[in-house]
Amino acid sequence: MAELNRAKTAILSLGGSISLVVALIGILNFVNIMSVSVVARKRELAILESIGMERRQIRAMLIGEGLCYTVITLGLVFSFGNLIACGIFGLFQQQVDFAIFTYPVVPAAVIALAVLAVCYFTPKRMYQLLSRETIVYPSGKCSVRKAAYPVP
């Protein structure tokens, strides 16, 4: 029995480590994509602001985009991911008859909240960093310089 518990601990540690690395890669990928997206659309965002869109509206638009990514990601994970997990467990159960599948509700909820937080705060923070810079000089030349006013 002790050997079975050690094997279970080893499998959980290995699976948890691999999952953590994959999650970290995914989070860094999302942060990179949103950062590049905001910086690449710097001029378009400045145009939207110049024709009357308020900064809070632009920030809400970017946050909404991040939350759309959240809905898509969690939808795929909770549909296809669960199907894949059940399929893998079915294969595992053919080898080990006494295995019982229990859905990890708490870890899934924690991961969903973490994904939601990352997808909410990343575009918000990137826009805050970008909105400190201005695109157009008073002379009309396009360039980037630090804004003289604080960002809300």
Side-chain angles (χ1 to χ4, degrees), residues 18 23 31 34 40-41 46-47 66 71 84-86 91 94 103 135 141 147:
I18 291 171
V31 169
M34 284 306 295
R41 295 187 298 177
I47 290 170
V71 169
I84 292 170
C86 287
L91 293 173
Q94 290 176 357
Y103 190 78
I135 304 282
K141 294 181 182 177

Side-chain angles (χ1 to χ4, degrees), residues 81-102:
N82 288 339
L83 289 174
I84 292 170
C86 287
I88 291 173
F89 178 75
L91 293 173
F92 178 72
Q93 197 173 28
Q94 290 176 357
Q95 300 296 320
V96 182
D97 297 346
F98 57 87
I100 299 171
F101 182 75
T102 55

Side-chain angles (χ1 to χ4, degrees), residues 15-94:
S17 300
I18 291 171
S19 298
L20 185 65
V21 168
V22 170
L24 185 62
I25 290 170
I27 289 171
L28 290 175
N29 186 29
F30 175 77
V31 169
N32 184 36
I33 287 172
M34 284 306 295
S35 302
V36 169
S37 172
V38 171
V39 170
R41 295 187 298 177
K42 182 180 356 183
R43 191 163 291 188
E44 289 87 356
L45 297 174
I47 290 170
L48 288 173
E49 190 176 336
S50 72
I51 61 173
M53 194 170 193
E54 296 179 4
R55 287 179 179 224
R56 65 179 175 80
Q57 291 174 319
I58 295 173
R59 186 173 47 241
M61 179 186 69
L62 293 172
I63 290 171
E65 182 180 323
L67 294 178
C68 284
Y69 286 131
T70 302
V71 169
I72 292 168
T73 300
L74 293 179
L76 289 173
V77 166
F78 287 132
S79 59
F80 294 118
N82 288 339
L83 289 174
I84 292 170
C86 287
I88 291 173
F89 178 75
L91 293 173
F92 178 72
Q93 197 173 28
Q94 290 176 357

Side-chain angles (χ1 to χ4, degrees), residues 1-9 98:
M1 191 66 170
E3 187 175 323
L4 184 62
N5 285 336
R6 281 186 291 155
K8 180 180 174 184
T9 304
F98 57 87

